[in-house]
Structure formats: structure tokens, C-alpha cells
Amino acid sequence: MEFDLFNIIHQYSYFGIFLLLALGIIGLPIPDEILLATVGYFIFAGDLPALPAVLSAFLGAITGITGSYYFGNICGKPLLKKLGPKFGISEEKIDKTQNFFLKYGKSALFFGYFMPGIRHLTAYFAGMYSLNWRQFALYAYSGALFWCSFFIVIGYQLAGRWALVMEVIHKVGLFAFTIVILCIVAWLIFKPKNKGSYSNGWFK
């Protein structure tokens, strides 16, 4: 896969970076972190100027996540309301989930990039639950810039040492997953107990 990424970036340059990141964020099985680390290697080797390379990666990431947001916004809720009852998901549960996401989901948009699988869903849920576009853009786009820059720097600093790059990617993903789990556990322990709160009876 690294060999293929090298060839794609070498042949298509910025357009290849943009397209692969956009498709990877949408959900295609593209190793996004390895792609970004490969971009960092090309910058280290002097084959790509840093600023245009980072910009093309950032634009690809926000294109993909914006597409997921609008798909969720247009198709997500109608599909959920149509298919939800077949799986025991009532409208009441959908509304509670929406309230929960609108309150806590914004941070998931930022940190979700670091967890494969999660980053493909956060924008979809944000659109489905009608998160305000400005709030979506603030968290999703700043998260994209941080995520792209982080792994490009990793690729630059560890140029060519792919075993070490893979180890860093694994540890970062595990750390982000642990943080999210701890946040969920903390919410379950300290969630409001008053009857008027939507969180009361969340799992009932």
C-alpha cells in the first residue's frame, strides 16, 4: 500500500493527495494516516513544498467530511425514521440521541479524526441531527487541520522509518479511543439526575 501511495503522489501530486483524502474521509478503505505520513516523507525529500502539500491534504479532508455532513443532513434522518422502528429505535430515542449529539458531539468532530471508523461517522451524525453548519465547520475544519498537520509532521520527522510510523499511528489511535471511552464513562457517572434533563432515562 505504501508503494501504491508513493506512486499516486509521485504521479498526481497535489490532486492525488486531495482526492485520496476526500475519498478516505467519506469512507473508502484508504489508509489516511499512512497517506499523510507519506506526504510528510515527500516534503522531507524535497519533492513537495510543505505549504501546498498541507493545503491539498486539508482541502481533501474538509471536502470529504463536508460531503458526509450534507449526506447525513439530506438522507440520514429520513432513513433513520423509516428504518428505525424495524430495529426498535423509536422517535423518542432518536430525539434523545439528537439532543445528546448536539451537546457533546462537537468535540467528537475534532478528535474523531484520530480514530479510523469514527471519523467516517461523526460528520454523518452531525448532518443527520442538524448540527448548525457554522459549529460543524468550526470543529470539523479545525480538527482536519490539526490531524493533517500532525501526521504529516510524523512522516517528516520519521522519514522512511515505516515500522515506527505505524507504531505511532497505532498508539495515537489507541490513546484517542481511550480518551473517548473515559469521557463516555465520566458522563454516565456524572450525568444530570434532574427529571427535566434529557439525559435522564437516556438508556431506558
Side-chain angles (χ1 to χ4, degrees):
M1 178 56 71
E2 288 121 13
F3 178 75
D4 293 335
L5 292 176
F6 267 82
N7 280 340
I8 291 171
I9 295 174
H10 180 75
Q11 185 171 356
Y12 298 103
S13 188
Y14 307 118
F15 178 73
I17 297 168
F18 169 85
L19 185 61
L20 287 175
L21 258 296
L23 295 176
I25 292 295
I26 289 173
L28 269 65
I30 294 169
D32 300 313
E33 288 88 355
I34 298 177
L35 169 63
L36 292 170
T38 304
V39 173
Y41 174 81
F42 271 81
I43 295 172
F44 173 84
D47 296 323
L48 288 175
L51 185 58
V54 174
L55 183 61
S56 61
F58 171 68
L59 291 176
I62 67 171
T63 297
I65 205 162
T66 303
S68 296
Y69 171 81
Y70 280 111
F71 180 78
N73 186 260
I74 296 168
C75 304
K77 210 163 186 180
L79 282 175
L80 186 60
K81 288 185 175 181
K82 183 178 180 180
L83 301 177
K86 297 180 180 179
F87 298 94
I89 304 174
S90 66
E91 262 201 70
E92 182 184 1
K93 289 182 180 179
I94 293 173
D95 290 340
K96 287 180 179 180
T97 306
Q98 178 171 348
N99 289 334
F100 177 82
F101 187 89
L102 291 176
K103 188 167 185 179
Y104 298 102
K106 295 185 286 290
S107 57
L109 282 169
F110 186 93
F111 293 106
Y113 285 98
F114 291 88
M115 292 174 286
I118 300 297
R119 62 171 167 259
H120 307 312
L121 297 175
T122 51
Y124 176 79
F125 284 122
M128 183 170 66
Y129 293 132
S130 303
L131 179 67
N132 178 277
W133 188 87
R134 289 185 179 180
Q135 289 185 316
F136 161 77
L138 174 64
Y139 287 88
Y141 292 2
S142 58
L145 182 60
F146 179 67
W147 176 67
C148 290
S149 302
F150 181 86
F151 283 106
I152 288 174
V153 169
I154 292 296
Y156 182 89
Q157 294 293 334
L158 303 178
R161 291 175 282 178
W162 293 112
L164 192 52
V165 169
M166 293 299 295
E167 183 180 348
V168 170
I169 290 172
H170 174 74
K171 287 183 176 179
V172 169
L174 185 61
F175 176 77
F177 178 78
T178 302
I179 292 297
V180 169
I181 293 298
L182 289 175
C183 289
I184 293 173
V185 170
W187 179 81
L188 291 173
I189 293 173
F190 299 108
K191 64 179 179 177
K193 301 298 183 182
N194 56 301
K195 292 183 179 179
S197 171
Y198 70 82
S199 57
N200 185 37
W202 170 257
F203 291 103
K204 291 182 180 178

